[in-house]
Amino acid sequence: GADTPAAPPPRMASILLVGGTGRVGTAAASHLLRRSGDVRVTLAGRGAEGRRGAGAAYEAAMDAGGPADSSRVALQRLDLDASSPEQLAAAVAGYDAVLHTAGPFESDDTRLLEACIAARVPVYCDVADPIEYLAKARGEEMNARAAEAGTMALCAAGAFPGLSNLLAAKLARDLAPARIADVDFQYFTAGLGGSGAVNLLITNLGFGAQLPRYRGGRYAPAREAGVGGGRVDFFLSEADASFARVGTRDTWPWPFPEAATVADHLRISGDSNASMGTAPDIWNAVMRVMCERLPRDWWSDERFSAALADFSRPLVALTDAAVGETHCMRVDVRAEDGRRASAVQGHDSFRRCVGQSMAEFALDLLARRGTNLFSPGVRCPEGLYECQGSSEGAGEDRPGASAAEAADALLERLCSTPGTFTYAVSVGQVDDSAL
């Protein structure tokens, strides 16, 4: 159920939330406090010592349960852009976990992850989505450094990417032993989903990036974001709550990294795709026209994308007030034998879903410490299904737990957070379109 707590960390854990005064960071903090009485949270950011920081701390505590929880919330000023590697390492030293929500993520800026490795922080999570960032973070050198330092790092650990990755890996397991042919990710978010104006900039920059997709079992990126797509049913049957709340929506391709990382993890033989849509529907039509007519290099220029975000912000704020923050995802996995597994998940608030998901990932990694399931290194969420660490020197095995069983339990928690209004799975039906 929505109020079933995650397995608590083995002791009172101290968690640093970088970007913690932002909309997603605050949602993550409140969920951490609500889910476990054994954590202390520090909200870090440029404005942590000012009014914004005080407001974020108050919101996190009150949302979690009330004034009593305020004693478990602290503030710390941290400017990522102005800090040296040594300063960052000093800032994160001593924490049990560091959570990074301060986007937009630059393609090669892994400084905070590297600082956590240097300071031997046990757990690191972020919500990064550039495929270049993930390639660097999960590269052989970084992975070896994390393993040596005892840091278990999880990148792209939000809702999508994040929860969606884990869901796709689960669906693929449900189709075993058949080889996976195709995987599709479809997302809907009403307006900005409550995530704040920075999401406008992130979306715009994505239109200038390569789509990290697979074609015929091979990585085949293409600079075609915002063009094409189609209508998607964000429900499996009319009995799903998402049938009435979301229904069928227009979507367009966007460079979500899971289309590549999950495809690679599953070793698919066919195609992968990732698309999204928004409300009101007029924004989908406007985005398509602009992506068809404006040069891709304009979108990848941060000055242009930022100026366009600033220009559209008042209009977006006006429509967001009317459409709310609803989020929904659909994941489809098809096997070579023609069977398909599908899932839908919906939440009242996109930004809360992202924050709650990151919090659940962090709590899960913290609970693995001292067991054979704690496996230092850098991975994306789909890798949790195969990250059985050696129990040598790591304490006792978790009773009855395999990596897959632990990942399944985590997925159930992710899909039952407060605000979740639908979670449905269908496995094994023959996909006539694939035959």
Side-chain angles (χ1 to χ4, degrees):
D3 296 321
T4 301
R11 59 176 178 79
M12 181 69 82
S14 58
I15 300 176
L16 179 69
L17 253 165
V18 179
T21 60
R23 300 286 287 161
V24 171
T26 304
S30 63
H31 191 71
L32 286 166
L33 296 170
R34 181 190 304 114
R35 284 298 234 178
S36 174
D38 296 317
V39 299
R40 292 189 298 268
V41 178
T42 298
L43 309 182
R46 283 191 295 265
E49 294 178 346
R51 183 178 300 176
R52 180 176 181 179
Y58 177 81
E59 179 183 339
M62 295 303 291
D63 192 40
D69 287 301
S70 62
S71 62
R72 294 193 288 136
V73 184
L75 295 167
Q76 176 179 330
R77 189 181 187 282
L78 179 61
D79 189 336
L80 287 177
D81 295 332
S83 299
S84 68
E86 294 76 18
Q87 289 171 325
L88 285 179
V92 302
Y95 285 98
D96 295 293
V98 173
L99 281 57
H100 185 5
T101 67
F105 285 80
E106 300 291 338
S107 60
D108 62 348
D109 188 2
T110 56
R111 289 178 302 138
L112 188 61
L113 169 59
E114 294 179 66
C116 290
I117 294 172
R120 298 184 177 272
V121 175
V123 169
Y124 169 89
C125 295
D126 67 36
V127 290
D129 54 19
I131 192 69
E132 300 85 359
Y133 175 101
L134 298 179
K136 180 180 178 182
R138 299 186 304 145
E140 185 176 344
E141 179 186 356
M142 193 83 73
N143 190 63
R145 287 163 55 190
E148 189 280 329
T151 298
M152 189 169 182
L154 198 63
C155 298
F160 56 87
L163 187 164
S164 58
N165 302 44
L166 205 64
L167 188 52
K170 166 63 175 173
L171 295 177
R173 289 178 59 82
D174 289 340
L175 293 174
R179 184 180 182 185
I180 301 304
D182 309 311
V183 59
D184 292 319
F185 299 91
Q186 309 286 351
Y187 307 124
F188 167 78
T189 301
L192 293 176
S195 60
V198 69
N199 218 34
L200 279 174
L201 173 59
I202 293 172
T203 301
N204 289 348
L205 289 171
F207 291 130
Q210 298 263 18
L211 295 176
R213 66 186 189 183
Y214 270 57
R215 290 293 180 267
R218 295 177 179 270
Y219 186 54
R223 214 174 183 190
E224 299 174 358
V227 178
R231 303 282 288 175
V232 174
D233 293 336
F234 284 94
F235 56 89
L236 301 183
S237 74
E238 294 185 6
D240 298 336
S242 54
F243 174 75
R245 286 197 58 170
V246 181
T248 302
R249 295 285 180 167
D250 197 18
T251 65
W252 28 267
W254 198 83
F256 293 103
E258 55 268 41
T261 65
V262 173
D264 177 66
H265 176 79
L266 298 179
R267 296 178 175 84
I268 70 170
S269 61
D271 301 342
S272 67
N273 298 284
S275 298
M276 69 172 294
T278 188
D281 198 48
I282 185 63
W283 288 124
N284 297 313
V286 169
M287 288 297 184
R288 271 206 182 88
V289 171
M290 293 181 69
C291 287
E292 289 171 354
R293 298 186 179 183
L294 296 180
R296 295 290 171 178
D297 288 343
W298 288 17
W299 293 105
S300 57
D301 186 327
E302 187 166 345
R303 293 170 301 177
F304 171 80
S305 283
L308 184 60
D310 289 341
F311 173 78
S312 59
R313 185 177 300 146
L315 290 173
V316 172
L318 184 64
T319 56
D320 275 13
V323 300
E325 302 180 3
T326 302
H327 137 85
C328 200
M329 71 171 69
R330 174 171 181 146
V331 180
D332 294 286
V333 177
R334 299 174 186 84
E336 288 185 340
D337 62 9
R339 292 178 302 134
R340 183 182 70 193
S342 303
V344 294
Q345 178 266 353
H347 198 284
D348 293 336
S349 167
F350 167 69
R351 70 111 177 172
R352 290 187 181 276
C353 187
V354 176
Q356 291 169 349
S357 296
M358 171 171 256
E360 289 291 348
F361 280 120
L363 288 172
D364 183 78
L365 298 194
L366 284 168
R368 292 167 181 252
R369 294 174 67 189
T371 78
N372 64 313
L373 295 179
F374 189 77
S375 180
V378 186
R379 56 182 55 83
C380 286
E382 60 269 23
L384 291 176
Y385 270 100
E386 297 178 357
C387 71
Q388 192 93 7
S390 170
S391 60
E392 182 179 352
E396 296 297 322
D397 288 1
R398 187 184 291 182
S402 67
E405 290 167 337
D408 282 346
L410 170 59
L411 183 60
E412 289 300 314
R413 293 194 296 273
L414 287 165
C415 292
S416 61
T417 55
T420 301
F421 63 81
T422 192
Y423 174 49
V425 178
S426 177
V427 178
Q429 73 270 36
V430 175
D431 185 356
D432 294 332
S433 65
L435 299 178

